[in-house]
């Protein structure tokens, strides 16, 4: 689970949105600081962007990069700190910016905020190094004694809230070694390199540390854990509040767990910092001492200002890891015996957890944070509960302040009721771990219970009790919509009604008054300039899916994109999925050639040498776009640029006969399969068989990253997990293998494709999206030319049925959740538009397809659409079924 998504949930009950768009509410917790509303002084200019409000003198002449000052603050002293720093900067003509509200400062310091940027409240921009030394000293004196969290990316001056680092003043970008767009600084020779902003202080190798900072750096280096009676062996987990480490007691040799807490950092919903929560955990565990289901407290100590709690190490595995190890729905046909065996195990685990929670309650403690990651299962099957930092006494009235999205109780729950709710969620999550959907609509519990009862031999009363607990008080906002519409308005396979319903949901979500995005989607919309316009997560991809699926085109929607691309956002990436190339291709596809060529001209003005070679944002995607535009227009400059991209992409591909290197990433979007796609399409255009050779070599490079799992299914090995998905998994490789095999026989590739078909046969995938979920399986199975076991109409139908497991209602229309399943998404990569495209690839007339991956050959028959309201079984594929 990526906990970074949680901060994007506050602004809207249905969609992810930027934190700064969270509407102010009554009370000090949401209000803006007074300084944010003061008039702009004469001779100064003010600009507010995202989480920052910046002021600078009109005549200021600042460098592009240099030493800058960051000031941290706690929630209680932030306003006072801001007033003094603002007055100092205005009096001395020093540019600065600050976080304008208590809410945004809280979010920047929250438990799962970005560790590198956490704590930054005010940034001050000195004009030169002499000015830097003077201002840093003056602010240190001005704020002496004020508490504030340590900014991990910076060097702290003394023990106050003033920190410094070398970095960019103005936003410039470059691509790193992986092809990711990063903030940049310039080397002395003018070449841009990534401005590294990790949780460790560092300076570029060409920068000299000012002499006055040396004592502060030495003081930082002097604080170590070497004198502890514990040796840290590995890090188990990091959050903004600190780390969790596996360690060994040097006196006894016993393994222990060290939990670290940083003061004033890692804030929970109630404002409690990591140190406060660590002491809560210590008190709770001491009260629970002697129970077999909780770890013992062994020690507590402080190093510098960091606090440590030493706990008994419990040998076992977190409950969430058992899904990959033994859940039957990750298989194609688990069989009745396998389902029954798992059901017995799941019921036993739940009973053990229920008893453990009862034992905790009997000692007067509410756990308050029960979920799959906080339950440890030992080898003998017994369970232990971990992470009591949110626990409190049963008589305390406090609300839940730290929670997993799939188990968070409704706002009105208190005390043991919070744990009862989590136990009810666990009843369903052990069978279908989709309980994060309850944040959108708790009525989804009934639908999930029906699905569990259909798949597993579990007593209905066990499930109904969970549904009753979860849906109690279901009208409390924002738990459920107030209309009587069903949770799944239309089955995805009920075509064309499902198309009309999804298209209506997408259009109902549109925000034409906004300039940053038209359709809500993934948080990636806010990660790069123009993300809300781009193909992967923005308007271009949604408009493509609507048109390609036969859902029609709206002039106003296309006009929105045309208006926003008259002058594309500064710093927008160049790539297909994340930038200008994808928008240009989409606009040409929709008939807006003039604007498409305007954007292509911007592409031609750029150097492609620094780009990665991938389809997502690199030269493979650019080459496909430029070749397509050249074919449509006959423009020789575009053709030359496309061939330049082919040459650059080929540099990352081993020559014929070379052993394939192990690439850092694999799959369609970021791996060698995307490069192979470029070579295949250009081979079809030119007939140059050397390109087909390159495609074969690239595909072998990706297949070298794959491993065979249960049932012979071929998946991409990421080191800590295997991936079957369309974007970064084996199914995306399978899509390109299909197109390669259409031109050249290859026994190895044909066998790999069949094994990838097996990877698309699981009965359960965690998400519905196109690139990381069920929809990608639908698209692949509906398109593949493979004819072995697991292909054909029934296989496609089963995955369409599985897609309905994730289905939700938005204003009575069919919609789907995005990445992490906490909010709906309408984009192509993660949300409803991608699901629409996948279903249209099966039922569309003509079938829909992804760009540069055309629909299947004519004559292949899709499964029959399912009429609305029809009762269907959810059949398993028949072995050997073919289309």
């Amino acid at each position: 689970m990526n906990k970074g998504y949680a901060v994007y949930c506050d602004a809207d009950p249905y969609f992810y949105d930027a934190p700064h768009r969270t509407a102010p509410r009554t009370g000090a917790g949401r209000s803006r600081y007074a300084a944010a509303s003061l008039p702009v002084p004469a001779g100064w200019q003010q600009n507010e962007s995202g989480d920052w409000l910046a002021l600078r003198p009109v005549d200021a002449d600042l460098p592009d990069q240099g030493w800058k000052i960051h000031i941290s603050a706690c929630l209680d002293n932030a306003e006072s700190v801001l007033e003094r720093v603002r007055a100092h900067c205005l009096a001395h003509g020093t540019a600065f910016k600050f976080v304008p509200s208590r809410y945004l400062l809280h979010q920047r310091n929250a438990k799962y905020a970005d560790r590198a940027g956490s704590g930054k409240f005010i940034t001050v921009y000195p004009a030169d190094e002499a000015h830097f030394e003077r201002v840093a000293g003056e602010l240190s004196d001005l704020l002496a004694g004020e508490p504030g969290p340590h900014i991990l990316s910076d060097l702290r001056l003394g023990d106050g809230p003033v920190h410094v680092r070398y970095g960019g003043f103005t936003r410039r970008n470059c691509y790193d070694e992986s092809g990711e767009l990063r903030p940049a600084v310039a080397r002395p020779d003018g070449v841009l390199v990534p401005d590294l902003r990790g949780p460790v202080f560092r300076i570029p190798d060409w920068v000299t540390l000012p002499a006055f900072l040396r004592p502060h750096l030495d003081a930082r280096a002097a604080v170590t854990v070497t004198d502890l009676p514990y040796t840290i062996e590995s890090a188990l987990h990091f959050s903004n509040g600190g780390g969790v480490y596996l360690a060994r007691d040097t006196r006894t040799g016993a393994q222990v767990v060290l939990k670290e807490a940083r003061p004033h950092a890692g804030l929970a919903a109630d404002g409690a910092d990591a140190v406060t929560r660590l002491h809560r955990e210590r008190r709770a565990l001491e009260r629970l001492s002697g129970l077999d289901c909780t770890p013992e407290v062994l020690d507590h100590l402080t190093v510098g200002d960091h606090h440590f709690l030493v706990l008994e190490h419990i040998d076992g595995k977190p409950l969430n890891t058992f899904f990959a190890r033994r859940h039957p729905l990750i298989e194609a046909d688990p069989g009745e015996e396998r389902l029954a065996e798992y059901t017995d195990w799941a019921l036993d685990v739940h009973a053990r957890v229920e008893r453990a929670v009862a034992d905790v309650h009997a000692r007067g403690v509410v756990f308050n944070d029960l979920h799959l990651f906080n339950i440890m299962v030992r080898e003998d099957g017994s369970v232990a509960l971990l992470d009591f930092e949110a626990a409190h006494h049963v008589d305390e009235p406090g609300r839940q302040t730290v929670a997993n999205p799939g188990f968070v109780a409704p706002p009105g729950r208190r005390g043991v009721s919070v744990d009862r709710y989590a136990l009810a969620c666990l009843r369903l999550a052990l069978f279908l771990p989709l309980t994060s959907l309850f944040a959108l609509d708790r009525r989804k519990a009934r639908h999930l219970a029906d699905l569990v009862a259909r798949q597993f031999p579990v007593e209905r009363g066990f499930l109904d009790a969970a549904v009753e607990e979860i849906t109690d008080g279901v009208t409390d906002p924002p738990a459920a919509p107030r209309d009587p519409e069903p949770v799944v308005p239309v089955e995805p396979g009920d075509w064309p009604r499902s198309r009309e319903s999804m298209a209506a949901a997408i259009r109902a979500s549109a925000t034409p008054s906004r300039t940053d995005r038209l359709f809500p989607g993934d948080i990636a919309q806010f990660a790069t300039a123009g993300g809300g316009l781009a193909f992967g997560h923005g308007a271009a991809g949604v408009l493509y899916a609507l048109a390609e699926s036969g859902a029609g085109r709206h002039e106003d929607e296309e006009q929105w994109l045309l208006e926003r691309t008259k002058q594309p956002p500064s710093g927008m990436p160049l790539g297909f999925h994340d930038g200008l190339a994808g928008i240009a291709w989409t606009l040409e596809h929709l008939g807006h050639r003039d604007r498409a060529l305007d954007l292509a001209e911007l592409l031609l003005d750029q150097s492609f040498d620094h780009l990665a070679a991938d389809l997502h944002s690199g030269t493979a995607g650019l080459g496909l776009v430029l070749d397509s535009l050249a074919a449509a227009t006959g423009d020789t400059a575009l053709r030359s640029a496309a061939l330049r991209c082919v040459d650059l992409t080929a540099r990352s591909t081993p020559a014929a006969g070379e052993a394939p290197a192990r690439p850092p990433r694999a799959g369609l979007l970021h791996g060698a399969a995307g490069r192979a796609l470029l070579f295949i399409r250009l081979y079809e255009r030119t007939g140059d068989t050397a390109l087909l050779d390159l495609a074969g070599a690239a595909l072998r490079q990706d297949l070298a990253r794959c491993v065979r799992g249960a049932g012979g299914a071929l998946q991409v090995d990421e080191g800590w997990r295997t991936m079957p998905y369309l974007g970064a998994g084996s199914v995306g490789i399978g899509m390109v293998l299909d197109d390669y095999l259409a031109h050249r026989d290859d026994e190895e590739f044909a066998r790999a494709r069949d094994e990838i078909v097996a990877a698309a046969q699981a009965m359960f995938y965690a998400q519905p999206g196109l690139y990381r979920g069920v929809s990608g399986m639908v698209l692949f199975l509906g398109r593949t030319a493979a004819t072995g076991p697991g292909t054909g109409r029934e296989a496609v139908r089963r995955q369409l049925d599985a897609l309905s497991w994730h289905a939700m209602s938005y204003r009575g229309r069919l919609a789907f959740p995005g990445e992490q399943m906490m909010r709906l998404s309408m984009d192509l990569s993660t949300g409803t538009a991608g699901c629409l495209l996948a279903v249209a690839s099966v039922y569309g007339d003509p079938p829909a397809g992804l760009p540069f991956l055309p629909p299947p050959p004519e004559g292949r028959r899709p499964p029959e659409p399912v009429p609305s309201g029809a009762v269907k079984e959810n059949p398993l594929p028949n072995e050997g079924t073919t289309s």
Side-chain angles (χ1 to χ4, degrees), residues 538-799:
V542 176
L543 295 178
Y544 170 78
L546 289 169
E548 187 76 359
S549 66
R553 293 169 55 183
H554 284 195
E555 182 179 347
D556 290 346
E557 296 166 347
E558 295 179 19
Q559 189 61 40
W560 185 95
L561 187 58
L562 289 168
E563 286 293 326
R564 301 299 173 274
T565 51
K566 285 180 179 178
Q567 290 186 320
S570 176
M572 189 172 188
L574 306 181
F576 184 84
H577 279 81
D578 63 350
L580 295 174
I583 299 174
W585 184 88
T586 303
L587 290 173
E588 164 65 22
H589 184 75
L590 296 175
H592 302 290
R593 177 166 294 179
D594 289 345
R595 180 57 46 77
L597 292 179
D598 289 343
L599 298 179
E601 284 296 320
L602 294 178
L603 293 175
L604 295 181
D605 288 340
Q606 305 297 316
S607 168
F608 302 152
D609 294 41
H610 58 289
L611 296 177
D614 61 41
L615 177 66
H616 183 274
S617 51
T619 55
L622 282 171
L624 286 163
V625 167
L626 294 168
D627 177 70
S628 176
L629 292 175
T633 63
D635 189 304
T636 56
L638 293 173
R639 174 76 68 209
S640 296
L643 295 176
R644 167 69 173 156
C645 287
V646 172
D647 290 340
L648 291 170
T649 305
R651 294 178 185 178
S652 300
T653 305
E658 286 185 15
R662 182 178 174 87
R665 303 176 76 174
L668 180 65
L669 294 183
H670 297 283
R675 304 201 302 268
L677 182 63
L678 170 66
F679 300 142
I680 292 169
R681 296 286 90 93
L682 266 292
Y683 161 73
E684 291 169 346
R685 183 91 69 205
T686 66
D688 182 354
T689 57
L691 291 168
L692 207 54
D693 295 338
L694 282 169
L699 287 167
R700 286 185 174 83
Q701 198 172 12
D702 259 7
L703 289 175
R705 283 291 306 271
C706 294
V707 295
R708 291 171 181 83
L714 196 66
Q715 300 191 32
V716 170
D717 180 10
E718 293 192 334
W720 60 285
R721 64 180 178 182
T722 58
M723 293 289 280
Y725 297 118
L726 179 61
S730 56
V731 162
I733 302 170
M735 294 275 284
V736 184
L737 283 172
D738 265 313
D739 288 19
Y740 180 92
L741 289 167
H743 298 293
R744 180 181 287 174
D745 291 336
D746 189 298
E747 185 176 341
E748 175 194 353
F749 285 179
R751 182 171 60 253
R753 181 181 61 183
D754 289 343
E755 293 168 339
I756 291 170
V757 167
Q761 294 300 304
M763 298 182 67
F764 174 77
Y765 296 97
Q767 300 183 142
L770 185 63
Y771 287 125
R772 281 170 53 90
V774 187
S775 291
M777 307 304 163
V778 172
L779 187 74
F780 171 63
L781 291 174
R783 180 184 187 272
T784 184
T787 57
T791 60
R793 292 181 295 170
E794 290 303 327
V796 177
R797 167 63 57 72
R798 189 183 63 174
Q799 295 300 6

Side-chain angles (χ1 to χ4, degrees), residues 56-122:
R56 62 181 292 172
V58 173
D59 58 355
D61 184 19
L62 293 176
D64 290 327
Q65 63 194 50
W67 287 97
K68 53 188 176 181
I69 301 167
H70 288 126
I71 297 166
S72 66
C74 302
L75 297 180
D76 293 339
N77 70 334
E79 190 125 38
S80 169
V81 167
L82 175 58
E83 288 175 356
R84 282 176 280 168
V85 174
R86 182 180 188 275
H88 183 279
C89 289
L90 293 179
H92 294 84
T94 308
F96 69 102
K97 68 179 181 180
F98 61 92
V99 176
S101 76
R102 179 185 173 98
Y103 168 76
L104 290 174
L105 180 60
H106 189 160
Q107 293 301 331
R108 294 186 74 86
N109 283 338
K111 180 177 180 180
Y112 288 106
D114 175 23
R115 295 170 66 221
S118 175
K120 295 176 182 177
F121 174 44
I122 306 171

